[in-house]
Amino acid sequence: MAFRSLANERYNNFIRIFSLTLGLALGLVLISKVCFEQSYDSFYPNSDRIYQIQENISMEKGKLQSYGQVSGGVAPGMKAEIPEVESATRLTYIGDNEVFYTSDKRRLTGTFILADSCLFDVLPRRMIIGNAKEVLSRPLYVMVSRSIAEKIGKIENILGQSINLDGWPGRALTVGGVFEDVPKNSHLKYDVVISMSSISSFMWDGTANWVGNDRYMAYVKLIQGAEPEKLAPAFLKMQMRHIDMEELRKSGVQLSYSLLPLEELHSGSPETKRMSTILVLIAFALIFTATMNYILIVISSLVKRSKEVAVHKCYGADEKNITNRILIETLLNLVLSVTAAFVLIFAFRGTAEELLAAPLNALFSLRTVIILLLVCISVFIVAGMIPARIFSHIPVSYALKNYKETRQKWRLGLLFIQFTAAAFLVTLVVIIGKQHNLMINDNPGYEYDNLLYCNTFGVKNEQREVAIAGLRQLSSVESVATCSTLPMYGASGNNVMEIGKDQELFNIADLYSVDSDYLDIMKIEILSGKGFNRETSEPSHVLVSQSFSDKICRMLGWKEGAVGRGINVSEHGTCTIAGVYKNIRIGSLNYSDTRPSIMFYTENTSDIIIIKVKKMNQENIMQVNKELESSLPGKDIVVIPYKSSMVNLYTPSRLFRDSVLIGGIITLIISLIGLIGYTNDEVNRRSAEIAIRKVNGASVREIQLLIIDKILRIAIPALILGETLSAFTASRWMENFAEKTTLPALLFICCGIAVLTIIIMVVCMASLKVAMQNPANSIKND
């Protein structure tokens, strides 16, 4: 009988399955995404005993801040001196998506790190070939992931092959082993591990440092039963053996170490927590709305099916039989909906993976599947038991008379929930879109609209000068400059000191070297002093930001300003402040670096070439690319529009916006399906009343207002509640950003009016047929 009902009520069943499919498809994927985010780093054996070493530092009694990078000597020091530390390791990144070449000149890319021989003792990966401890103890040897090994050639023939990094020519690296790929739900991602003993071939060797050069990510595995919060005294004693703590104190620096659980590095961050909370709310809104809509459509058929149920009771069916039938119908509909949902997910797999920034197979782990199964069971219980209880209590007497359902509160209540969810998500979409537009169009303190850039790391200065001269000859190029780092990608840190004194005043964002054309091409405004120029600038000259000038003048009592003053900067030595530039944003609005910044003048060219073209189009980009390829043969050339990179900084925000947008559209569709069903049921139930009103002179508009009036009584409060929830949720989400878009009351009013307008239009269209039909037919049929 349950199967027969699927065929007999094709339209109603299609609507039920369709709305449930839409809600489950996106809802289950979003829940999977949240489970994936919360599962980060839990795949490591004994992950509950693994911790990242945090450096806690404050300067001049400032706020204590924690960083996930330490000096090179800290991790091995903990292993050697603290009994509770079972093993320790340290690593540092060389770069993401670094270009490298195989021995047969094939071009590949991968993420490279330098790590010591204990890496896989703390963060184990299955070894496919080779002994990791031996390989990572030998200079210029590497371990590669399975995926990289397969790209190079057959895994069994991989040992002894060499690879060469594009940015470090002449440094052949020998493959000594292969490890299983790092899973996607790891905060630490890498493809190639270079032995730490090779570090001097790539950068300054700070592996023995206890203060400064804190570029190393360090991890420890504690012995069973060790409590990290009780290790603070041991950490302090270790520091005192290797660091002059009194000298640090005199220089205004407070330095200590703590341990952060590995599993909390990603899932425990405020950004992940806020994002997960919002995604759960969206998923709940989708699935709950779809479930309520399913119930609404099922119970709307009560008038038609009441006589059928009563007849069954006349032939001996009890409440249990009726309940079982409704539950089986619900189960069949749910199975079809879940199946269709997964078909829909895999049909749009590319879109789903882009939105979630993870492959689908990584999302659906055993733990996630169990959670999704529990969600589906919950949907079944709610969607099945409520209609089953109502249908099983239909009296036998309804078999002998027509039944008119007069209790409408439950249906209006379901619509109230759906309208609230729709208003919540539609408004949230608008707010997230507004914040995203602010981020990609915000003024960072410099101009970048017609800028291209290319990283030429590893190229000799003479070759770069030839390339720049060639670029300046192009008719499409307006100007060319070079720099060491781009502001949008953040900056390293150094400390500022007064000349003749060791006390560190404050930490700065170091933009390193720029040439004399840099400020002009970036349109960075000089507030006082002079910018760099070839005639008068010297290698010891620096430019500082307005916040740098204000801070040092306040601290040292420089009433006449900072221009012309001398300072010491760690790593650079004695410098002279030649000018002060207007503050620029370092990093992005997501991760804005609020430290004062500094630039150093260089007479030579720097690694990054910045090209300003007269017009940004594909032809000019190709022309620049061709010139660089001809000037720098053998160098991997990638010319990138600055603006596209700036937009890519906010890809997570865009993907989140798109997820909410799809969720909002689906929720609105589901709500409107429920609204159409309610309106059709309402006009059919009141068809005789409407006909009599028409006979007595009521117009079509008056008939529609009769239906709309009841909808408005629940729609307006529901929309107000939805707008309130969206305001609260959006404010929590925007805590991730340094600069936030405004949320005027008018925005919420307009969003509420827009949703209300759609609701009214749907009701008008759904009730138009009955409002215009011949009243005689309605009275006769009734």
Side-chain angles (χ1 to χ4, degrees):
M1 292 175 67
F3 276 102
R4 193 184 305 163
S5 70
L6 289 176
N8 293 340
E9 299 182 28
R10 293 176 186 174
Y11 176 76
N12 276 343
N13 281 311
F14 172 77
I15 294 298
R16 287 191 294 229
I17 293 170
F18 176 72
S19 62
L20 202 54
T21 296
L22 290 179
L24 287 173
L26 186 57
L28 294 180
V29 168
L30 292 181
I31 291 173
S32 300
K33 170 66 173 175
V34 173
C35 293
F36 178 74
E37 296 292 328
Q38 297 300 316
S39 70
Y40 262 58
D41 300 308
S42 60
F43 57 86
Y44 287 111
N46 302 309
S47 59
D48 59 324
R49 293 197 283 127
I50 304 173
Y51 299 82
Q52 185 185 68
I53 304 174
Q54 298 282 298
E55 181 179 270
N56 311 306
I57 189 167
S58 70
M59 302 182 67
E60 283 298 307
K61 299 181 180 179
K63 182 181 178 182
L64 190 70
Q65 294 182 309
S66 297
Y67 301 95
Q69 294 180 200
V70 299
S71 301
V74 176
M78 285 191 177
K79 172 65 177 73
E81 302 181 28
I82 299 177
E84 290 84 355
V85 175
E86 180 179 301
S87 54
T89 189
R90 70 221 154 143
L91 60 95
T92 185
Y93 275 90
I94 283 187
D96 295 331
N97 297 316
E98 287 289 324
V99 174
F100 67 96
Y101 296 93
T102 61
S103 55
D104 56 356
K105 304 301 181 184
R106 282 184 295 125
R107 178 186 183 276
L108 299 173
T109 60
T111 299
F112 284 68
I113 63 171
L114 284 157
D116 61 30
S117 60
C118 300
L119 173 67
F120 297 112
D121 293 341
V122 182
L123 303 169
R125 300 301 307 140
R126 187 173 73 85
M127 292 297 120
I128 299 171
I129 296 178
N131 184 312
K133 223 165 180 61
E134 291 180 4
V135 172
L136 296 181
S137 298
R138 302 176 67 182
L140 297 180
Y141 265 72
V142 299
M143 298 285 297
V144 300
S145 67
R146 175 194 285 271
S147 58
I148 291 293
E150 290 172 346
K151 291 175 183 177
I152 294 175
K154 293 182 179 180
I155 293 181
E156 56 268 24
N157 300 327
I158 197 73
L159 295 185
Q161 293 203 34
S162 63
I163 59 176
N164 288 272
L165 276 161
D166 179 67
W168 283 271
R171 298 169 179 81
L173 300 170
T174 304
V175 178
V178 181
F179 60 88
E180 198 65 63
D181 286 34
V182 177
K184 298 295 182 182
N185 57 336
S186 171
H187 83 284
L188 193 63
K189 297 178 176 65
Y190 52 87
D191 302 302
V192 181
V193 184
I194 306 174
S195 61
M196 187 65 78
S197 55
S198 315
I199 191 169
S200 57
S201 299
F202 296 91
M203 61 187 72
W204 182 73
D205 185 357
T207 52
N209 272 36
W210 279 86
V211 177
N213 192 231
D214 43 358
R215 62 172 298 140
Y216 300 88
M217 301 173 71
Y219 302 85
V220 296
K221 179 188 285 188
L222 300 185
I223 62 174
Q224 192 73 41
E227 300 179 37
E229 59 274 5
K230 293 183 179 180
L231 298 181
F235 291 164
L236 180 59
K237 289 179 181 178
M238 177 190 71
Q239 283 182 269
M240 294 175 69
R241 283 191 288 270
H242 297 277
I243 303 172
D244 189 337
M245 298 298 288
E246 182 62 23
E247 191 65 27
L248 269 185
R249 187 189 63 79
K250 287 180 180 179
S251 64
V253 176
Q254 291 184 14
L255 176 66
S256 62
Y257 301 109
S258 59
L259 301 180
L260 182 63
L262 182 70
E263 294 181 8
E264 294 182 13
L265 285 175
H266 180 82
S267 60
S269 69
E271 295 82 5
T272 302
K273 285 181 177 179
R274 283 192 285 265
M275 192 70 70
S276 297
T277 300
I278 294 173
L279 290 177
V280 167
L281 283 174
I282 296 170
F284 176 79
L286 280 164
I287 296 175
F288 191 70
T289 301
T291 305
M292 293 300 103
N293 192 60
Y294 178 90
I295 295 171
L296 181 64
I297 296 172
V298 170
I299 302 180
S300 292
S301 65
L302 187 61
V303 174
K304 296 179 181 179
R305 299 186 66 180
S306 58
K307 183 175 290 190
E308 175 193 350
V309 172
V311 168
H312 285 306
K313 286 191 172 183
C314 289
Y315 281 87
D318 57 19
E319 291 185 3
K320 183 179 179 181
N321 299 131
I322 303 300
T323 298
N324 287 343
R325 176 181 171 179
I326 299 300
L327 288 177
I328 293 172
E329 287 181 10
T330 303
L331 181 61
L332 291 173
N333 284 326
L334 183 61
V335 169
L336 290 173
S337 298
V338 171
T339 303
F342 278 97
V343 170
L344 196 62
I345 290 169
F346 281 94
F348 293 93
R349 178 172 186 158
T351 303
E353 290 181 339
E354 182 189 8
L355 288 175
L356 302 175
L360 284 181
N361 58 353
L363 291 175
F364 296 107
S365 63
L366 177 61
R367 175 173 172 266
T368 303
V369 169
I370 292 173
I371 292 174
L372 296 184
L373 185 61
L374 292 175
V375 171
C376 292
I377 292 172
S378 300
V379 171
F380 168 70
I381 293 172
V382 174
M385 291 306 298
I386 294 176
R389 180 172 177 80
I390 293 174
F391 277 92
S392 64
H393 284 75
I394 293 177
V396 177
S397 59
Y398 288 147
L400 307 175
K401 63 180 181 180
N402 289 331
Y403 173 62
K404 294 284 186 180
E405 172 62 55
T406 57
R407 295 173 296 175
Q408 301 292 303
K409 290 182 179 180
W410 55 266
R411 283 195 257 181
L412 293 173
L414 296 180
L415 283 178
F416 179 90
I417 295 171
Q418 293 181 354
F419 292 160
T420 300
F424 164 70
L425 289 179
V426 168
T427 308
L428 197 58
V429 167
V430 174
I431 294 171
I432 292 172
K434 197 165 179 280
Q435 176 68 22
H436 183 70
N437 288 335
L438 169 70
M439 291 189 292
I440 62 175
N441 297 311
D442 182 61
N443 180 12
Y446 56 88
E447 296 181 10
Y448 55 86
D449 282 344
N450 290 330
L451 295 186
L452 303 170
Y453 71 91
C454 177
N455 194 335
T456 61
F457 185 73
V459 172
K460 293 181 179 179
N461 182 63
E462 296 77 14
Q463 292 177 291
R464 197 180 293 115
E465 286 179 345
V466 171
I468 291 171
L471 288 170
R472 285 177 174 149
Q473 297 299 315
L474 298 178
S475 59
S476 59
V477 173
E478 188 174 307
S479 57
V480 183
T482 67
C483 63
S484 296
T485 184
L486 297 173
M488 64 177 167
Y489 289 133
S492 299
N494 268 309
N495 297 319
V496 177
M497 294 154 284
E498 189 177 1
I499 291 179
K501 296 184 179 180
D502 294 332
Q503 182 177 0
E504 295 174 345
L505 300 175
F506 52 87
N507 193 254
I508 55 170
D510 192 343
L511 294 172
Y512 286 89
S513 301
V514 303
D515 64 16
S516 56
D517 298 309
Y518 177 78
L519 277 87
D520 183 60
I521 203 172
M522 299 287 280
K523 300 299 181 187
I524 297 175
E525 182 183 352
I526 294 293
L527 300 177
S528 61
K530 295 180 180 180
F532 296 142
N533 63 75
R534 292 183 182 88
E535 288 73 28
T536 60
S537 294
E538 299 176 5
S540 62
H541 285 178
V542 299
L543 296 176
V544 300
S545 66
Q546 183 178 2
S547 60
F548 185 115
S549 175
D550 292 343
K551 190 165 187 174
I552 199 167
C553 287
R554 184 175 63 252
M555 294 180 73
L556 300 182
W558 292 349
K559 296 182 179 180
E560 296 179 0
V563 175
R565 300 278 190 169
I567 55 173
N568 273 334
V569 180
S570 57
E571 192 183 345
H572 297 278
T574 302
C575 312
T576 301
I577 299 175
V580 178
Y581 56 88
K582 192 174 182 179
N583 290 334
I584 62 174
R585 186 171 66 235
I586 309 296
S588 66
L589 286 178
N590 300 51
Y591 305 102
S592 182
D593 191 336
T594 58
R595 295 175 298 174
S597 60
I598 190 171
M599 302 175 190
F600 293 81
Y601 175 68
T602 179
E603 296 174 337
N604 298 319
T605 60
S606 297
D607 294 329
I608 299 174
I609 301 177
I610 305 175
I611 308 104
K612 185 170 186 178
V613 292
K614 295 175 181 177
K615 186 177 181 181
M616 184 64 71
N617 55 37
Q618 194 61 36
E619 181 182 349
N620 288 345
I621 295 173
M622 293 298 294
Q623 191 178 36
V624 168
N625 195 86
K626 186 176 180 181
E627 176 62 32
L628 286 170
E629 285 180 343
S630 63
S631 302
L632 303 173
K635 175 66 180 175
D636 184 71
I637 299 298
V638 181
V639 176
I640 306 170
Y642 199 109
K643 188 168 187 176
S644 66
S645 294
M646 185 69 87
V647 171
N648 288 338
L649 289 177
Y650 303 107
T651 296
S653 172
R654 177 182 62 81
L655 296 177
F656 179 65
R657 178 202 63 186
D658 294 345
S659 299
V660 178
L661 175 62
I662 295 173
I665 292 172
I666 291 175
T667 303
L668 190 59
I669 290 172
I670 293 171
S671 300
L672 295 180
I673 289 173
L675 179 61
I676 291 171
Y678 169 82
T679 305
N680 288 336
D681 186 60
E682 183 71 4
V683 294
N684 289 333
R685 187 180 66 84
R686 302 176 66 179
S687 58
E689 175 193 347
I690 292 171
I692 293 171
R693 287 179 181 273
K694 289 192 68 177
V695 169
N696 284 280
S699 65
V700 172
R701 182 170 175 271
E702 289 171 333
I703 297 301
Q704 289 179 322
L705 287 175
L706 184 70
I707 305 299
I708 292 172
D709 178 64
K710 184 175 287 188
I711 297 295
L712 289 178
R713 292 179 186 178
I714 64 157
I716 292 175
L719 296 180
I720 292 173
L721 178 59
E723 300 299 322
T724 303
L725 291 174
S726 65
F728 173 76
T729 304
S731 64
R732 290 290 306 276
W733 175 70
M734 287 196 295
E735 290 176 8
N736 295 331
F737 307 105
E739 295 181 32
K740 304 172 180 60
T741 187
T742 56
L743 299 179
L746 184 61
L747 182 147
F748 296 98
I749 293 171
C750 290
C751 290
I753 291 174
V755 176
L756 186 61
T757 301
I758 295 173
I759 290 172
I760 292 173
M761 290 173 61
V762 169
V763 173
C764 288
M765 292 173 63
S767 61
L768 185 61
K769 181 179 178 181
V770 173
M772 294 183 68
Q773 75 178 6
N774 190 335
N777 293 333
S778 297
I779 296 173
K780 180 177 65 176
N781 292 336
D782 193 66

